[in-house]
């Protein structure tokens, strides 16, 4: 019988059991550093973009020219404009559902036939409550007179993966697909968001009457990259 001290020494290779785990542990700080660095660049890019858009926002409003090249719109994104014409309520489209102060509703998109031979454009007039979805329930919001629209010229938004496709055949719109909606309504692919100064009492009155509540004239892009930097 041999004692354990008489046994020849054997090398134990711990890497067989813990090699993959150690690699994963080593990759965690490297990955976190890489993601944090990427967020720093994203923060710089988003901050410059917001500053650029805010600079456009404070410039004097432009009179929208009769004909507009959609390819030029990104250079004027968030630029304040004004234009005059008649709303085509018979071609109205509703995008939704959209929430406002925990209440469900829709954005009202109405083609505007402009004066002096200008192209017809799409105007997001603002939000209405779900209870005012039918046009017959909001006659005060369907002006037939000449109107001057003041708003923001906007670059078309991108659809995310979770938003369903629009169904123009049944009048169901979930996302502002500008080109599609322009084709359906016979308008130019130009998107304007009507604005109004925030006013709680006026908003309550508009909601009750079914008059769309326009957006505030402000840059509303989210910038959470500072938070992400500290997260990583």
């Amino acid at each position: 019988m041999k004692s354990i001290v008489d046994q020849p020494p054997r090398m134990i290779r711990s890497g067989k059991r813990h090699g993959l785990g150690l690699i994963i542990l080593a990759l965690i700080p490297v990955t976190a550093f890489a993601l944090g660095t990427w967020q720093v660049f994203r923060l710089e890019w988003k901050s410059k973009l917001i500053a650029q858009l805010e600079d456009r926002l404070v410039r004097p409003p432009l009179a929208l020219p009769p004909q507009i090249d959609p390819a030029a719109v990104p250079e004027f994104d968030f630029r304040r404009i004004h234009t005059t014409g008649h709303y085509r309520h018979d071609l109205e489209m509703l995008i939704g559902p959209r929430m406002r102060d925990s209440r469900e509703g829709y954005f009202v998109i109405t083609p505007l036939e402009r004066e002096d031979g200008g192209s017809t454009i799409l105007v997001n007039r603002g939000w209405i409550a779900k209870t005012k979805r039918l046009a017959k329930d909001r006659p005060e919001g369907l002006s037939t007179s000449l109107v001057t629209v003041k708003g923001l010229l906007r670059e078309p938004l991108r659809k995310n993966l979770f938003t369903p496709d629009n169904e123009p055949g049944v009048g169901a719109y979930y996302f502002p697909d500008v080109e599609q909606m322009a084709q359906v309504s016979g308008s130019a692919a130009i998107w304007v968001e009507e604005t109004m100064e925030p006013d709680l009492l006026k908003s309550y009155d508009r909601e009750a009457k079914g008059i769309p509540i326009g957006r505030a004239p402000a840059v509303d892009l989210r910038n959470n990259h500072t938070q992400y930097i500290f997260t990583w």
Side-chain angles (χ1 to χ4, degrees):
M1 184 173 183
K2 295 183 179 181
S3 170
I4 191 171
V5 298
D6 297 326
Q7 298 293 331
R10 290 183 299 171
M11 182 177 294
I12 300 176
R13 300 181 63 183
S14 60
K16 286 186 176 181
R17 179 175 299 179
H18 303 292
L20 180 60
L22 288 174
I23 292 174
I24 293 175
L25 288 175
L27 286 176
I28 289 176
V30 175
T31 303
F33 176 78
L35 290 172
T37 302
W38 178 66
Q39 290 297 338
V40 169
F41 287 111
R42 290 282 294 176
L43 172 63
E44 182 180 5
W45 167 79
K46 182 61 75 66
S47 298
K48 288 182 178 179
L49 176 62
I50 291 175
Q52 181 185 55
L53 297 178
E54 288 179 339
D55 177 67
R56 293 177 186 172
L57 193 66
V58 299
R59 295 180 185 179
L62 290 172
L64 208 60
Q67 303 299 323
I68 309 158
D69 181 4
V73 170
E75 299 178 18
F76 295 87
D77 194 23
F78 275 97
R79 190 66 190 269
R80 290 188 297 154
I81 62 91
H82 60 85
T83 190
T84 303
H86 290 88
Y87 279 127
R88 286 292 306 273
H89 299 295
D90 57 317
L91 298 175
E92 176 184 277
M93 295 164 280
L94 301 180
I95 295 179
R98 290 292 188 272
M99 303 301 293
R100 186 178 189 277
D101 296 334
S102 301
R103 295 189 297 280
E104 187 176 337
Y106 299 89
F107 285 148
V108 180
I109 315 303
T110 311
L112 180 75
E113 286 188 345
R114 297 190 295 150
E115 285 193 310
D116 302 327
S119 59
T120 299
I121 62 173
L122 296 171
V123 178
N124 179 357
R125 300 179 60 206
W127 182 91
I128 59 169
K130 183 179 180 180
T131 55
K132 299 294 184 180
R133 185 179 189 278
L134 299 178
K136 67 180 182 63
D137 295 328
R138 46 186 168 90
E140 293 184 74
L142 304 175
S143 173
T144 58
S145 60
L146 189 68
V147 296
T148 296
V149 174
K150 298 179 180 179
L152 303 178
L153 186 61
R154 291 303 318 277
E155 181 180 4
L157 300 176
R158 296 179 182 178
K159 176 178 174 293
N160 63 45
L161 297 175
F162 304 102
T163 304
D165 293 332
N166 293 335
E167 300 177 65
V170 295
Y173 294 92
Y174 308 101
F175 181 81
D177 186 329
V178 177
E179 290 190 4
Q180 179 190 64
M181 300 176 84
Q183 185 176 4
V184 169
S185 62
S187 307
I190 302 298
W191 184 266
V192 169
E193 296 183 350
E194 191 169 3
T195 58
M196 59 176 283
E197 293 297 330
D199 186 316
L200 188 60
L201 294 180
K202 183 180 291 186
S203 295
Y204 283 150
D205 183 61
R206 281 177 168 248
E207 181 176 349
K209 295 177 179 178
I211 302 174
I213 302 172
R215 60 163 294 162
V219 176
D220 54 2
L221 299 184
R222 291 184 296 177
N223 189 3
N224 298 323
H225 297 292
T226 300
Q227 176 184 342
Y228 297 152
I229 291 172
F230 287 105
T231 298
W232 293 112

